[in-house]
Amino acid sequence: MNGRITEKAYSKLNLSLDVLGKRDDGFHEMLMVMQSISLSDDIAITARDGQGSVSVKTNRSFLPVNEKNLAFSAAKLFLDSLNIKDTDVHIDLKKNVPVCAGMGGGSSDAAAVLRGMNALFGKPLGASELMELAAKCGSDVPFCVTGGTMLASGRGTDFKPLTAIPDCAFVVVKPSFSVRTPDLFRAIDDVKLRVRPDTEGLVAAIADGDLMGISRRVFDVFESVLPQPRRETVERAKADLIDAGAFGASMTGTGSAVFGVFSDYDAASSAKNALRATWKEIYAARPVSRIDV
Ligand code: C5P
């Protein structure tokens, strides 16, 4: 098989994130409202007659290009699960999304590889099979396959699609520290969470197209288990975003990225320009709606 396809790997924000408890399989029971945004990696997948090998090239020299890279392991999983042994796959990954930020950067790469390879090979997998494969790559990968606005539960891999959020824009600040996801999950086991997101209210605000109601309810329980001075840094990023005009602000995922919700892209761009002297890694982005697979 010979062919080439390009895919956008959209990153995500957690408009809300709640951890409900620990499961028997070692994972945690989650309840989150997830939103894909226009800040994305660019992926080109080339397939050539060969022996079933996978290779990855990326513009970030610190990233692995073997099975430790989720894009690589997703491609390998796709070939193995369909028993494809006569095609080599090469992935060119242009990374724009910050790494270890809670924005699903690696997960969205894996999802884009699965989506792209499925299209390139003539759609051998239906949507639910693609989601199953995605869940084997990681908990955030199934969401990234279609993206949009979704309520995620279970391990983070069960979904209820929600109405697209109203027109708005986000500014995302990436503080310089990075977080190891398992460490924060461990930390959350040791505390009793006192404040939780109003997920029901958030879902209702989304159904009503109420941007103020949405912005007031953005919330991530992982903020409360960040050690100092990291927590302080996240608080400062949120305060700066609000001062710059955001209607609401929160960390996303296990961090360290923090986002603010703005009325439109112009307002987000002005805020980004105003804050870039303080926060070196800063982005403006739009919400992205669901992709059909
Ligand atoms: O699924 P993924 O590989 O992205 O998960 C990374 C780590 O995050 C897991 O090894 C686990 O420690 C933690 N995790 C969890 N519960 C979830 C998702 C992730 O405990 N629902």
Side-chain angles (χ1 to χ4, degrees), residues 232-252:
E232 172 68 34
T233 304
V234 165
E235 287 301 331
R236 208 157 11 91
K238 282 165 56 177
D240 285 355
L241 285 162
I242 299 284
D243 286 348
F247 298 151
S250 172
M251 193 169 85
T252 173

Side-chain angles (χ1 to χ4, degrees), residues 125-196:
L125 300 178
S128 63
E129 292 165 311
L130 206 56
M131 292 305 228
E132 261 173 49
L133 216 53
K136 288 185 186 160
C137 296
S139 302
D140 280 343
V141 183
F143 169 76
C144 297
V145 172
T146 61
T149 311
M150 300 242 250
L151 178 67
S153 57
R155 204 186 110 199
T157 55
D158 301 330
F159 302 110
K160 181 170 177 260
L162 302 174
T163 319
I165 59 168
D167 244 2
C168 65
F170 301 100
V171 172
V172 183
V173 164
K174 167 69 177 68
S176 55
F177 71 89
S178 290
V179 176
R180 285 195 64 252
T181 299
D183 293 348
L184 268 208
F185 272 105
R186 255 193 303 278
I188 217 154
D189 289 336
D190 297 336
V191 295
K192 169 126 185 62
L193 294 170
R194 287 199 191 82
V195 192
R196 320 200 73 120

